Amino acid sequence: MAATQTNPLRVGLRQERVISPQCLVIFGASGDLTHRKLIPALFELFRQRRLPTEFSVLGCARRPWSDDDFRNRMAEAMADEVKQHQSAWQQFAACLFYEPVDLQQDEDVVRLGTRLEALDRQRATRGNRTFYLSVSPAFYGSGCRALANAGLLKDPSRSRVVIEKPFGTDYGSAQSLNRVVQSCGKESQIFRIDHYLGKETVQNILVLRFANAIFEPIWNRNYIANVQITAAETVGVEERAGYYETSGALRDMVQNHLTQMLALTAMETPGHFDPESIRSEKAKVLQAARLANEDEPWKCCVRGQYSRGGNPANPMAGYREEPGVNPESTTETYVAMKLFIDNWRWQGVPFYLRTGKRLPKRLSEVVLTFRKAPVQLFDAAGGTPTANQLVLRIQPDEGAGFVFDVKAPGSGMRSRPVDMHFSYDESFGEPSDEGYVRLLADAMLGDPTLFTRSDEVEAAWRLYTPLLELIEDAPHQLPVYPYEARTWGPSAADNLLAEDGLMWRRP
Amino acid sequence: MAPQLTLQAPLQLPPSEVPAYLNRLWTDNLKDSSGAATFTLVVWEPSWLQQQLIRTGRADGPITGLLNDQLLEAAREAIGALGLPASTAPTAPDVAWALGQLPGSHGAEDLRGQFVDRAISAHQPRRLITLAPTLAGDQQLESTVAAYCPLPEERGVSADACGDVVVLRGGMGAMQQGLAMLQELIPSDLPCWVWWNGTMDESPELLEALAVPPRRLVVDSSIGEPRRCLDLLVQRIEQGQAVNDLNWLRLRTWRESLAMVFDPPCRQSALDQVVQLDIDVEGQHPVKGLLLAAWIADRLGWHLLNSFWIDGGAGEGRGIGAEFQRSDGQSVQFRLMPVPVGVSKMHPGALVGLRLICAPPQRPPLCVILCSESGGCMRLEAGGVASMELAEEVVPLPNESEEMEMARLLGGGHDSTNPLLASAAALAAKLLPN
Ligand SMILES: NC(=O)c1ccc[n+]([C@@H]2O[C@H](COP(=O)([O-])OP(=O)(O)OC[C@H]3O[C@@H](n4cnc5c(N)ncnc54)[C@H](OP(=O)(O)O)[C@@H]3O)[C@@H](O)[C@H]2O)c1
């Protein structure tokens, strides 16, 4: 969220929740995520005085770094930040430590336990620990097991494990990973990351729905005609071809981020605002969701892949020409689909999801379109009357908008739509926490609200199982349609809605 | 200690035997452990008000050191009966002092240090030391010790979660005498908080001896003579000690409410155009109001030119006035006035209202008024405000006990003073005229 100006009175007012003394152990400390996101987020928390004095970060990976190597590498990676806040960095760097650990070597993990005890004494961190697995997903299960075997997850109130995405690659693998992870500790100790939940506006869906009495009575099939959820990116695959080729848009975006937006939009009202009530409602609504046509899933899903585009001045390569991509790749970079939720609230209301790379705009939004007025009293200036729409904008220009009809100026009584607009920037100005700042703080606070629970992850994978199986077994039935880079996806995706007499919103 | 499991009944021991006893306890009974690696909390717990209310038969024992609703009620009744001004807060030292002039000799069991708020015990202090001075100045030093562990159902009872409590009780002379032994009882390798839960002007030598850096000091600048409160705060902060002030922490809702008004970027430019700041407080204790004003002035980069006393009308007491200079050279007028209230809040000098007037060029002035939930602020709403753009907010009353506030500090603290408090305290001390 770009801040136009910051409010001088707001400085230091974000410290309501206190992170207790602890040691944050990062596995994968020499990796990309640690220096790009995790350490910068921690430094931000440190500068805002949201970390206690009794705090330490213990970086772990296989390479034989010393504490100082680790500190220096992190300082190099964040050189600009460090230069701006040199004395703060000196103090922060004194909390950074490193221990060479191979997660696959039990004796390494036992040695880690000894180092942690020493650090606890040195830093008075009260035996309280958060373990962050920022390693290849192949190590999530064995990593947890190694920690449990070394007795490091024994006390559920003083140890937590944060697991990066992706959690499994399909329903079966997510289930078995859950089984392994749950055999190592209690569910309350496991924090599965979904970056979208770190976004303020995704959290705002909850507040908007449940803090305002006006929305809940109309938030159902009686008033809402359909829901569209979009996450569009302008970038291509960039340097992630190796990973993306094995994943594709369905696994990379839909199963996690879009499904989280779906769950927050469609869930029932929780009885309390506590993590378990919220997560239970999210899991329930995902269990009630299904593809619009499970028997013939190709009829309710469209896949696409970007081809060349741009213009002579700025040509854009097609996906198959990108470095690291198989020239005959059938990996989808775009996917659109139609879902239903079989419960009292949503029976018969279609939910349309779409996401893609190399689309014309970078944007994420949830759009609820309301039913038309039962009787049309006025002529619409634009020919047909527009339906009311509530638009929840996740990024960029975070906020919400409401489209409704007013009298068109002039003689007569014609109606035309206008847009009522709320913007975070205009109202609050203040940049909100970067996603990782929020998620790291919550994990260290032991607050799992913004992390996905085992049943949610499994329900999300199960929802897309018919599609994943089809792609595996009979890919020709779900062809990958090419679309020109920087256009709104293949025309087949438009047909998906045209069959229902609808159109995608052109944001 | 409600949610804890005491390993043995609290044991009364001759003071000189306490250190050796505790050593033995940890090495013999709880083998291989030196207890929870957490922190030490030392509490100066005079509870003068509770002791006096009990002695004069206005409240029932035992003496616990915890303020509850009945005690506050009894204190409010006493304020009326003693002829103190109605705006006197129940925790103001004047109340205990006036009660001290009355006859009475009701006794009660003294259980100070043995009732620990759950919010505090949840952090598993390694050692909790309570200093409990008695009304009788010549009472001998007594000491009580007990070891405790979390209840098994809360956590597996392992010695690395256990701690102990030590209570030192006696007259003021005895307290001095216990001091040397007490220093020995504070483990040097763990953080230590010293909670001065009394008035800031009492027993300065004891405070000096107890609150040595790097121990973290927790005080309440609403209790004690204002000059002494602010000077002590500033002096400690300047020495580099980590100081937490409960009076400052209780300003949080006011700071949040004011910040909220200026969150929309379109309002923020008005902050550069402030011409007047008024604050109304309950009774004659200005420190909280001064801290708020100083925080605003510091955040907005104002420079203090002068400050002076203002004589209020009959019965209203003295106010404080000051003039600041904004960074663009314009002047800002500040007034802090005591206002009479029917029923005072718990702490002296609670805020009643705040008014900030901004005069942007070529625009109608903006007037921001914040009122406390429990008392309107008609005085601030009167007087020409009608022609301005008005932004009013009601500030909710914080409903947390001292112990909750304290637990929050213990939950994760800092070894340096919050820089916002450091700046505000220094400026507030200058704002208070001599
Ligand atoms: N980077 C991102 O933007 C991003 C975004 C979303 C999710 N993620 C997820 O975050 C995790 C980390 O991503 P990354 O990009 O940082 O990966 P990366 O750069 O490949 O780093 C992997 C790290 O794991 C360490 N490692 C490998 N084998 C190990 C073992 N046996 N024991 C201990 N450490 C071991 C490596 O260090 P050594 O070679 O020294 O052992 C390295 O520090 C992945 O799960 C990824 O899916 C990353």
Side-chain angles (χ1 to χ4, degrees):
Chain A
M1 226 175 266
T4 35
Q5 208 176 349
T6 49
N7 178 353
L9 302 180
R10 185 140 294 285
V11 175
L13 274 174
R14 284 220 190 115
Q15 299 158 356
E16 324 84 76
R17 299 191 301 166
V18 185
I19 295 174
S20 39
Q22 62 186 285
C23 178
L24 175 71
V25 185
I26 302 178
F27 295 100
S30 54
D32 176 62
L33 189 69
T34 303
H35 67 75
R36 242 170 16 91
K37 295 284 185 184
L38 301 182
I39 298 293
L42 289 166
F43 187 42
E44 175 68 28
L45 287 169
F46 178 82
R47 288 197 299 112
Q48 294 182 14
R49 281 178 71 91
R50 284 157 75 187
L51 295 177
T53 299
E54 288 76 34
F55 179 79
S56 60
V57 178
L58 180 61
C60 300
R62 289 168 307 179
R63 62 199 72 183
W65 283 355
S66 65
D67 293 344
D68 280 334
D69 290 336
F70 182 44
R71 289 168 189 157
N72 295 338
R73 299 280 176 147
M74 295 303 119
E76 276 164 34
M78 316 171 33
D80 289 347
E81 276 287 284
V82 172
K83 209 185 292 163
Q84 270 182 47
H85 309 283
Q86 274 184 353
S87 75
W89 176 264
Q90 293 309 328
Q91 293 168 28
F92 175 72
C95 314
L96 301 182
F97 302 87
Y98 185 87
E99 180 74 23
V101 174
D102 184 339
L103 267 175
Q104 290 176 301
Q105 304 295 325
D106 283 348
E107 62 277 13
D108 277 17
V109 183
V110 171
R111 180 164 41 78
L112 168 68
T114 319
R115 176 80 198 265
L116 280 172
E117 277 169 27
L119 264 183
D120 267 342
R121 278 192 301 276
Q122 187 183 336
R123 310 277 314 169
T125 41
R126 309 186 188 177
N128 191 5
R129 289 147 198 176
T130 301
F131 298 97
Y132 197 116
L133 295 178
S134 174
V135 288
S136 150
F139 296 136
Y140 293 164
S142 53
C144 284
R145 222 180 251 141
L147 290 173
N149 289 344
L152 292 171
L153 303 180
K154 218 167 37 193
D155 183 345
S157 63
R158 290 195 294 171
S159 53
R160 291 156 296 279
V161 184
V162 184
I163 300 180
E164 259 297 336
K165 81 160 201 180
F167 196 89
T169 52
D170 56 22
Y171 182 42
S173 59
Q175 267 186 317
S176 30
L177 184 53
N178 267 333
R179 270 198 295 274
V180 175
V181 168
Q182 285 172 326
S183 71
C184 301
K186 295 205 166 129
E187 177 63 32
S188 63
Q189 287 173 273
I190 315 295
F191 290 70
R192 298 172 191 79
I193 290 245
D194 187 307
H195 308 103
Y196 256 54
L197 290 177
K199 294 184 189 294
E200 197 100 276
T201 31
V202 172
Q203 297 153 28
N204 184 44
I205 299 178
L206 278 178
V207 179
L208 185 100
R209 284 193 58 195
F210 303 127
N212 298 296
I214 58 163
F215 292 121
E216 205 41 31
I218 55 170
W219 207 269
N220 56 46
R221 61 193 300 270
N222 298 328
Y223 293 90
I224 291 177
N226 68 79
V227 180
Q228 294 186 14
I229 301 178
T230 301
E233 297 176 280
T234 51
V235 294
V237 68
E238 299 181 303
E239 289 89 47
R240 295 170 66 219
Y243 155 75
Y244 203 79
E245 275 283 275
T246 62
S247 144
L250 186 54
R251 287 191 171 92
D252 186 47
M253 291 293 290
V254 179
Q255 180 275 337
N256 39 38
H257 306 330
L258 271 77
T259 306
Q260 284 298 327
M261 287 199 269
L262 171 76
L264 291 171
T265 308
M267 68 190 263
E268 294 296 317
T269 319
H272 299 276
F273 190 80
D274 64 60
E276 293 322 315
S277 310
I278 293 169
R279 301 199 298 174
S280 297
E281 293 305 339
K282 280 168 63 194
K284 269 195 252 169
V285 79
L286 293 179
Q287 283 153 3
R290 62 171 174 86
L291 295 175
N293 190 339
E294 289 195 297
D295 298 330
E296 299 171 309
W298 55 89
K299 290 193 170 160
C300 63
C301 175
V302 173
R303 294 201 297 155
Q305 189 185 67
Y306 64 85
S307 54
R308 273 185 208 180
N311 51 42
N314 182 17
M316 287 172 188
Y319 178 69
R320 292 181 185 181
E321 301 156 346
E322 302 271 20
V325 173
N326 176 354
E328 275 154 34
S329 170
T330 54
T331 302
E332 79 279 356
T333 64
Y334 175 98
V335 60
M337 68 182 74
K338 177 177 168 185
L339 304 172
F340 283 117
I341 295 173
D342 287 332
N343 63 16
W344 279 59
R345 188 189 285 268
W346 296 115
Q347 187 64 42
V349 178
F351 284 77
Y352 302 100
L353 273 49
R354 66 172 162 169
T355 181
K357 289 193 179 295
R358 283 269 187 253
L359 299 186
K361 281 187 181 173
R362 172 178 167 266
L363 122 160
S364 298
E365 64 176 23
V366 178
V367 182
L368 299 107
T369 304
F370 290 83
R371 294 190 185 283
K372 297 213 167 86
V375 180
Q376 197 187 326
L377 294 179
F378 308 104
D379 285 342
T384 48
T386 24
N388 295 147
Q389 282 190 327
L390 182 64
V391 182
L392 310 176
R393 282 189 312 277
I394 309 299
Q395 63 184 25
D397 186 22
E398 294 84 343
F402 188 54
V403 181
F404 57 100
D405 274 3
V406 297
K407 181 184 170 301
S411 63
M413 273 296 192
R414 301 201 314 158
S415 67
R416 55 166 280 189
V418 289
D419 192 356
M420 196 160 87
H421 175 91
F422 154 74
S423 141
Y424 263 79
D425 279 358
E426 283 168 26
S427 301
F428 304 128
E430 187 82 345
S432 63
D433 284 345
E434 204 271 331
Y436 269 101
V437 174
R438 174 67 198 255
L439 292 174
L440 262 174
D442 277 14
M444 292 189 287
L445 281 159
D447 177 353
T449 312
L450 301 179
F451 296 83
T452 34
R453 206 169 61 185
S454 60
D455 47 353
E456 280 181 79
V457 181
E458 288 182 18
W461 278 118
R462 193 168 47 195
L463 180 53
Y464 305 106
T465 297
L467 291 176
L468 292 168
E469 282 174 353
L470 194 65
I471 294 172
E472 184 70 35
D473 302 339
H476 59 281
Q477 283 194 293
L478 207 57
V480 179
Y481 295 104
Y483 60 95
E484 190 184 321
R486 290 298 179 91
T487 64
W488 281 111
S491 57
D494 290 337
N495 298 341
L496 187 69
L497 270 74
E499 284 166 18
D500 296 337
L502 298 170
M503 281 181 7
W504 289 107
R505 194 176 116 87
R506 286 279 184 270
Chain B
M1 193 171 275
Q4 309 283 339
L5 172 76
T6 312
L7 287 186
Q8 73 286 73
L11 186 70
Q12 198 161 341
L13 280 180
S16 56
E17 288 177 22
V18 170
Y21 174 83
L22 285 172
N23 266 339
R24 223 172 33 243
L25 176 79
W26 287 102
T27 42
D28 297 354
N29 295 17
L30 300 161
K31 285 181 200 64
D32 308 326
S33 171
S34 48
T38 51
F39 57 88
T40 306
L41 172 61
V42 181
V43 190
W44 168 249
E45 186 90 279
S47 317
W48 299 128
L49 177 68
Q50 187 178 27
Q51 292 200 65
Q52 294 288 12
L53 286 169
I54 291 174
R55 184 187 61 81
T56 53
R58 292 168 177 271
D60 296 327
I63 306 170
T64 58
L66 301 178
L67 271 182
N68 55 27
D69 289 345
Q70 286 98 313
L71 277 180
L72 290 175
E73 195 46 44
R76 288 207 169 90
E77 274 172 29
I79 290 168
L82 292 162
L84 292 168
S87 316
T88 310
T91 56
D94 318 14
V95 184
W97 186 86
L99 284 166
Q101 311 308 304
L102 301 180
S105 54
H106 294 265
E109 199 181 359
D110 190 345
L111 298 180
R112 278 178 287 175
Q114 297 180 36
F115 281 91
V116 180
D117 193 274
R118 195 188 169 113
I120 292 180
S121 63
H123 292 297
Q124 302 176 344
R126 167 65 187 79
R127 180 159 289 163
L128 201 93
I129 304 174
T130 304
L131 289 161
T134 53
L135 291 178
D138 53 358
Q139 189 161 322
Q140 294 285 304
L141 189 65
E142 293 169 8
S143 46
T144 311
V145 293
Y148 67 86
C149 291
L151 283 179
E153 57 265 29
E154 294 207 339
R155 246 158 241 181
V157 180
S158 66
D160 63 5
C162 297
D164 50 43
V165 289
V166 179
V167 183
L168 298 179
R169 190 184 325 110
M172 288 305 288
M175 288 288 113
Q176 295 287 359
Q177 186 194 326
L179 204 56
M181 182 248 295
L182 187 149
Q183 306 286 26
E184 218 181 299
L185 290 179
I186 299 177
S188 58
D189 54 345
L190 292 178
C192 173
W193 269 267
V194 175
W195 180 10
W196 192 259
N197 193 12
T199 79
M200 281 177 75
D201 15 46
E202 69 188 301
S203 316
E205 325 74 53
L206 242 153
L207 173 62
E208 200 63 32
L210 271 183
V212 280
R215 292 179 197 162
R216 301 163 192 190
L217 176 61
V218 184
V219 293
D220 185 340
S221 67
S222 75
I223 317 263
E225 196 273 313
R227 179 87 264 160
R228 161 80 181 155
C229 288
L230 283 171
D231 287 351
L232 186 72
L233 215 51
V234 172
Q235 174 214 337
R236 289 289 171 161
I237 293 170
E238 279 175 357
Q239 282 174 11
Q241 185 162 31
V243 183
N244 296 282
D245 177 11
L246 297 173
N247 200 27
W248 160 261
L249 295 176
R250 287 191 293 264
L251 273 177
R252 197 186 291 118
T253 49
W254 287 82
R255 290 168 51 214
E256 175 65 43
S257 300
L258 189 63
M260 223 156 64
V261 173
F262 292 98
D263 273 336
C266 62
R267 280 252 178 86
Q268 280 171 22
S269 60
L271 281 176
D272 300 331
Q273 315 286 347
V274 177
V275 291
Q276 189 179 330
L277 170 65
D278 297 278
I279 292 177
D280 283 356
V281 302
E282 283 182 15
Q284 289 297 324
H285 205 283
V287 173
K288 191 172 186 182
L290 291 179
L291 284 172
L292 181 63
W295 166 71
I296 296 172
D298 174 61
R299 295 311 307 155
L300 301 184
W302 303 344
H303 170 67
L304 178 66
L305 296 178
N306 56 54
S307 75
F308 43 87
W309 293 110
I310 304 172
D311 269 329
E316 283 191 26
R318 286 199 298 182
I320 294 170
E323 186 180 7
F324 290 97
Q325 193 176 39
R326 298 195 318 226
S327 54
D328 62 1
Q330 298 296 310
S331 117
V332 184
Q333 299 301 321
F334 166 61
R335 295 286 178 276
L336 179 138
M337 295 306 289
V339 292
V341 290
V343 180
S344 61
K345 293 197 207 70
M346 184 163 151
H347 300 283
L351 298 174
V352 178
L354 171 149
R355 178 171 67 188
L356 196 67
I357 297 179
C358 314
Q362 283 114 36
R363 291 244 316 262
L366 167 72
C367 173
V368 176
I369 296 185
L370 304 183
C371 305
S372 130
E373 194 183 2
S374 60
C377 40
M378 279 184 301
R379 197 187 78 83
L380 297 178
E381 287 163 334
V385 167
S387 62
M388 304 180 183
E389 180 192 341
L390 190 63
E392 273 194 281
E393 298 284 339
V394 173
V395 182
L397 291 174
N399 52 0
E400 286 188 343
S401 64
E402 314 287 68
E403 285 75 19
M404 291 293 292
E405 212 47 279
M406 193 59 215
R408 202 202 294 264
L409 291 175
L410 297 172
H414 291 274
D415 59 4
S416 61
T417 303
N418 181 323
L420 294 173
L421 167 62
S423 315
L427 188 49
K430 291 187 193 133
L431 267 174
L432 182 69
N434 285 316

